[in-house]
Amino acid sequence: SLEKKSEEKEENISAVFNSKFLNFHFEKLKSLEENLIRLPTPEEIFFLQSDNAFNAFTFIPFIAKRFPIKQLHASTYSISRKVIEALIEMHDKGMIEQITLLISDSMIKRNPSVIDNLHAMASTRPNIKVYYAWSHAKVCCIETHDYHYVIEGSGNWSENAHYEQYILCNSKSAYEFRMQLFTNSNLKKY
């Protein structure tokens, strides 16, 4: 029958696409530690939505507990002093080898004391680089010894995040694509 052929065709198309696309998982999170039981495997992507206050930085210690981070590149509109201090501590303890931050240049005027603190800490650590641009991007690229994670979503690296959405994937091609944010010639180094 025509209906049966249509169903078979749909199944065949679905099988073809499953081999070409990332696996998708949808999670609503109250806490990463409680709700996210694993990280994505290679070429897998998680679509996440937060229910409680946690910000984009929350993913970093979650990954660093499992794998040492070779390189962390993060872009954000806003970053808090607590997040900066946590990043520096993770770097100093060897959990993150290199850190590159791309922060909206409006942050320099919006919160100069936080920026001064960041500059003071980065100036004594050659593996920490800080750039500025007129940007609202919120992307984090993490390279471990075996994996390439990309985290993107609405949350800043500040303490006021509540209802946010994120995408977390383990994909070298997505990582390489998003790394273009950090090689833009318009970036201003501090």
Side-chain angles (χ1 to χ4, degrees), residues 120-132:
M121 291 186 174
S123 68
T124 60
R125 293 165 177 87
N127 287 344
I128 298 177
K129 296 177 180 72
V130 181
Y131 295 95
Y132 297 94

Side-chain angles (χ1 to χ4, degrees), residues 65-81:
K65 281 184 189 177
R66 289 148 180 83
F67 307 107
I69 295 173
K70 286 174 55 176
Q71 293 187 58
L72 178 141
H73 289 76
S75 65
T76 185
Y77 178 74
S78 188
I79 189 166
S80 73
R81 182 183 302 266

